[in-house]
Amino acid sequence: MHISLQLTLLFALSSLAILPNPRVTAIQEGEEEGMDLSELRKTVEEVEVVDGHSHNIVALDSNSISNGFAQAFTVGAFGDPDAIAFAQTSLSFKRGLRDVAELYGTEVSLEGVEEYRRVSGLEAITSTCFKAAKVSAILIDDGIEMDKKNEIEWHKTFAPFVGRILRTERVAEQILEQLKKDQCLAGFLSITVTVAKEIYALKSIVAYYGGLEINLNVTKTDAEESLRQVLINGEFELWNLVDYLFLQSLEFALSYDLPMQIHTGFGDRLLDLRKSNPLHFRSVLEDKRYAKCRFVFLHASHPFSKDASYLASIYSQVYLDFGLAIPKLSTPGMISALKDLLNLAPLKKVMFSSDGHTFPESFYIGAKNSREVVFSVLRDACIDGDLLIPEAVEAAKDLFARNSIRFYKISSANITAP
């Protein structure tokens, strides 16, 4: 190589080596300029949250929690003692156990927390957790069958507002239990209509039954044949029936102006994660029949956060929920997941939920970790120049409460928006 060219390249490379890192520079400038983040921190810490997706709390002696408090930190491994034992070595368990022990003022040990729970009683610890979480409203999917499950009315003692989410597949299961040999689908809508005025959203776990790629051409005849096979032959070929009932649910949601929650992302071992990517749902989003349906992808922040963010950016009816990934991931994982959602998704379309269930502590941990993660993400957005501090403050209010209030149409008579 000619010596002059070598010198030119060497100079260019040396210049690149000393170029400042934009991210580091932004942080340094923010620190040097004394960026005042106190209002943002205060807002994130004090805003009362609207928990858009959760489940019932059970009694302390419920057989559903026979494996102890460690179950609160697992993802769908309730029936596997070995998996629960391994969960105690996870990052989220170690972090969460410290958080709960600090809240209760006990030693940081599973035994210490469990003894405190036993002595205090369920009502006392639920009150403690909900107050610490600063909960103003909770929407509960009561479609999971658990031993000694407290009904929705019980939860109203601990939160200013509690609303119900109707799991459509649970309605279908109830009908199957009633039908026996009568292959009639009329009961699905009749049961659903009776509770229409009592619910704030429908929810579907259709992803568990075959994935989110819905057969939009399934007919009632197809569904009845699928039902006949189930009832007469005991075969578990439910796909046509499930897809048909799902589409019926969308018609119902449109009729009563109810949003539809869609389980996406990870869950328990019954779920095929390969089929629960929200990208599979595009055929429904493209269908003109459902253009006015309002969808929220639950657990959208992991592992399909980038795909979910993309869909929320191009479809007006798509909203996102960042529960479950927060608090189940490591701290960097939670931050990365929420940042991925906000890469493309509008700030007005992303919502908090705890996915709290079974244990009142899960509501508290979900809220506490979400506050920490949201502050970190919005702070970085200010440092990076994506948001001004006043804009970040408004975003925090949207993420934690206002977006859910608007999306689920929670009346101002029931809750005060921040």
Side-chain angles (χ1 to χ4, degrees), residues 125-328:
I125 62 174
T126 302
S127 179
T128 297
C129 288
F130 279 35
K131 286 180 181 178
K134 296 184 177 68
V135 172
S136 65
I138 295 174
L139 299 183
I140 295 178
D141 163 20
D142 61 349
I144 299 178
E145 290 303 304
M146 295 182 286
D147 177 54
K148 297 184 180 180
K149 177 177 71 175
N150 289 297
E151 299 303 324
I152 287 180
E153 195 66 27
W154 179 89
H155 297 75
K156 293 181 179 180
T157 303
F158 308 102
F161 174 78
V162 179
R164 185 186 181 195
I165 300 166
L166 185 68
R167 184 186 291 223
T168 58
E169 287 79 13
R170 179 54 189 149
V171 175
E173 289 170 1
Q174 291 170 338
I175 295 169
L176 286 174
E177 292 166 2
Q178 296 170 9
L179 283 175
K180 301 193 182 295
K181 297 289 183 179
D182 179 14
Q183 295 104 55
C184 174
L185 292 170
F188 180 76
L189 288 182
S190 66
I191 291 179
T192 311
V193 167
T194 61
V195 297
K197 295 182 179 180
E198 304 172 8
I199 60 179
Y200 284 80
L202 300 179
K203 176 184 172 180
S204 175
I205 56 168
V206 67
Y208 275 82
Y209 291 93
L212 293 176
E213 192 167 358
I214 309 299
N215 178 6
L216 295 174
N217 299 313
V218 64
T219 65
K220 183 178 180 181
T221 300
D222 296 331
E224 287 176 337
E225 175 58 24
S226 178
L227 177 60
R228 187 181 72 83
Q229 294 297 325
V230 172
L231 295 176
I232 295 179
N233 301 323
E235 297 178 6
F236 202 68
E237 294 298 326
L238 287 172
W239 318 136
N240 283 336
L241 175 61
V242 168
D243 285 356
Y244 179 79
L245 292 180
F246 176 75
L247 296 180
Q248 290 292 299
S249 300
L250 295 187
E251 296 290 347
F252 175 82
L254 283 169
S255 298
Y256 288 88
D257 191 25
L258 290 167
M260 174 66 83
Q261 296 184 339
I262 305 293
H263 183 108
T264 63
F266 62 91
D268 63 39
R269 64 180 61 183
L270 297 176
L271 179 71
D272 187 341
L273 193 60
R274 296 168 297 181
K275 298 179 180 180
S276 63
N277 187 319
L279 289 178
H280 292 304
F281 201 69
R282 286 193 65 176
S283 60
V284 175
L285 299 175
E286 294 284 352
D287 195 301
K288 293 181 180 179
R289 292 174 293 176
Y290 313 116
K292 293 185 178 181
C293 281
R294 289 175 288 137
F295 298 103
V296 55
F297 292 148
L298 301 176
H299 320 320
S301 51
H302 191 73
F304 307 119
S305 51
K306 294 178 181 178
D307 298 328
S309 180
Y310 166 69
L311 292 176
S313 73
I314 63 173
Y315 292 104
S316 62
Q317 71 267 47
V318 171
Y319 292 71
L320 308 176
D321 165 285
F322 58 83
L324 191 59
I326 304 174
K328 298 301 184 185

